[in-house]
Amino acid sequence: MNHLLKKLTEGDQLMKDEMREVAQALFDEQISDSEIASVLTALRVRGESPDEIAAIVEVLREKAMTVQKTITGVMDNCGTGGDGSSSFNISTTSAFVLAGAGAKVAKHGNRSVSSKTGSADVLEELGISLDFTGEEVEKLLESNGIAFLFAPYVHPRLKRIMKVRKDLGVPTIFNLIGPLTNPVELETQFLGVYRRDMLMKMASVLNQLGRTRSIVVNGAGHMDEASLAGENHMVLLDKGDLIPFTLKPEDVGLSTYPNEAIRGGDAKENAEILLNVLNGQPGAYLDTVLLNAGIGLYSAGISSSIKDGVDRARESIESGRALEKLNYLIDYSKTRKQAMSS
């Protein structure tokens, strides 16, 4: 390890197998807190390569909660966070719309880190359990088309690293890799990043992780979601090809709104926003979800275009199917809690 730490601190890029060795040491607690801090700081200062990101993700997933690999055709839609927009829970709300439109969604998420309310906070407020087992995740994906995986429960090896991250107080590689560490074998993904300079890198990482098709987005105003405020920058991964493109809301028949129009609040407020959207209340919140779900459906290959995806997303809400997906998870969680307490 010493020679690899020396390479990192001297600004050298690690080969993928070297980064895997470093990652094994990180997660198996073979190195000290100060050495962990050195690794994270060195990567941040020099800039993380696709090989380094992919290597640390692969090792972390190997040590995560086991989910059966028999599940096929699964996607995730998740952002890195860190955009400072204080928006409502866009990807969480969109996940139910995606499921209502026929996607199979393993929604990976956490409590609030850089925003007011994380996906876990708002789902917990709605009554959804955060400790689904691997077997339950598989069951829910088959029966309901959507399940939630709570990152700290799924990745128990991260506790010590999270403490070091908090002590450092600066962004690290772990601010980027959260959406990549889903233990379910994903075929497709819609990934939001708060750094526009990372679009191609993250698309390359998704390719290394075996995604057949995905879209990475940095939204107008540098949001880690697609935004109605203007031009969204994206990269489509399609069978190994990386294709950059841009999209404005008017391109798919949606109105323009400033990012301030989609601000969220605490868990209770964001739960109300989520329910209002799934009940079809018109406005900036709904249109933002339609845009993001539409891109998600296109990234999964379910729709033929993003415009078609937006139309399918609208139908998912208007038919009540998106809300049914949410209510199924709430009812399932309530039943399992009652069974555990009896």
Side-chain angles (χ1 to χ4, degrees):
M1 271 296 297
N2 287 339
H3 72 287
L4 295 179
L5 287 173
K6 187 172 184 292
K7 282 185 71 172
L8 276 173
T9 54
E10 290 177 351
D12 293 335
Q13 186 172 305
L14 297 187
M15 302 292 288
K16 193 170 183 180
D17 59 341
E18 292 177 322
M19 191 64 214
R20 281 186 62 88
E21 186 178 337
V22 172
Q24 291 285 358
L26 286 174
F27 300 130
D28 290 341
E29 301 188 0
Q30 299 170 14
I31 58 178
S32 66
D33 285 2
S34 61
E35 287 173 320
I36 294 173
S38 295
V39 169
L40 300 183
T41 303
L43 287 168
R44 172 63 178 175
V45 170
R46 192 246 299 144
E48 306 88 347
S49 73
D51 278 353
E52 289 167 336
I53 296 170
I56 200 168
V57 168
E58 287 173 359
V59 173
L60 181 55
R61 290 183 71 245
E62 289 165 7
K63 299 179 181 300
M65 178 185 79
T66 301
V67 181
Q68 294 298 317
K69 296 182 180 181
T70 55
I71 312 169
T72 59
V74 183
M75 73 172 296
D76 191 4
N77 70 316
C78 189
T80 58
D83 62 12
S85 67
S86 300
S87 62
F88 76 108
N89 298 97
I90 297 169
S91 63
T92 306
T93 310
S94 300
F96 294 104
V97 180
L98 288 166
K104 200 176 288 186
V105 186
K107 184 74 179 79
H108 187 248
N110 207 338
R111 293 194 184 278
S112 171
V113 177
S114 57
S115 59
K116 288 184 180 180
T117 308
S119 55
D121 301 306
V122 73
L123 292 177
E124 188 176 52
E125 175 68 26
L126 290 163
I128 293 173
S129 301
L130 302 183
D131 59 346
F132 293 132
T133 65
E135 291 78 9
E136 286 178 308
V137 168
E138 183 175 13
K139 177 181 177 182
L140 287 166
L141 286 172
E142 293 296 345
S143 60
N144 191 43
I146 184 170
F148 181 71
L149 296 95
F150 181 43
Y153 183 75
V154 170
H155 302 292
R157 298 290 187 97
L158 279 178
K159 282 186 179 180
R160 184 167 170 234
I161 292 173
M162 294 305 102
K163 176 186 177 300
V164 175
R165 280 182 63 195
K166 186 176 180 180
D167 292 343
L168 279 174
V170 295
T172 71
I173 192 171
F174 286 93
N175 293 79
L176 293 171
I177 68 171
L180 305 173
T181 59
N182 195 319
V184 176
E185 290 291 335
L186 304 176
E187 289 188 15
T188 59
Q189 191 158 358
F190 177 39
L191 168 65
V193 294
Y194 69 99
R195 288 172 53 188
R196 192 161 293 172
D197 64 307
M198 292 296 294
L199 282 170
M200 292 297 287
K201 276 189 181 181
M202 295 299 269
S204 177
V205 172
L206 289 173
N207 186 41
Q208 288 196 45
L209 295 175
R211 311 292 190 265
T212 57
R213 185 178 165 91
S214 294
I215 288 178
V216 185
V217 63
N218 177 259
H222 294 272
M223 286 188 67
D224 70 329
E225 311 274 1
S227 165
L228 298 169
E231 191 171 66
N232 298 280
H233 291 251
M234 292 183 255
V235 175
L236 169 66
L237 163 66
D238 188 16
K239 297 177 182 176
D241 293 330
L242 303 182
I243 307 162
F245 68 104
T246 59
L247 182 81
K248 295 179 180 178
E250 55 264 36
D251 296 336
V252 291
L254 294 172
S255 300
T256 300
Y257 289 91
N259 286 336
E260 290 74 22
I262 55 169
R263 289 193 183 278
D266 60 21
K268 184 175 181 180
E269 291 172 297
N270 282 13
E272 290 178 5
I273 293 170
L274 185 153
L275 289 170
N276 287 339
V277 169
L278 296 190
N279 279 294
Q281 185 177 100
Y285 296 119
L286 173 63
D287 283 5
T288 298
V289 168
L290 292 176
L291 177 61
N292 281 273
I295 298 169
L297 290 168
Y298 180 62
S299 72
I302 292 173
S303 63
S304 58
S305 66
I306 294 176
K307 176 64 170 65
D308 177 47
V310 169
D311 293 340
R312 287 172 183 254
R314 192 184 302 277
E315 204 272 332
S316 172
I317 293 172
E318 291 179 351
S319 67
R321 289 197 303 271
L323 186 60
E324 287 173 6
K325 300 297 182 180
L326 170 65
N327 288 333
Y328 188 106
L329 270 188
I330 294 171
D331 292 342
Y332 181 89
S333 298
K334 182 178 180 181
T335 300
R336 78 190 287 271
K337 286 175 185 176
Q338 290 173 342
M340 288 177 178
S341 62
S342 61

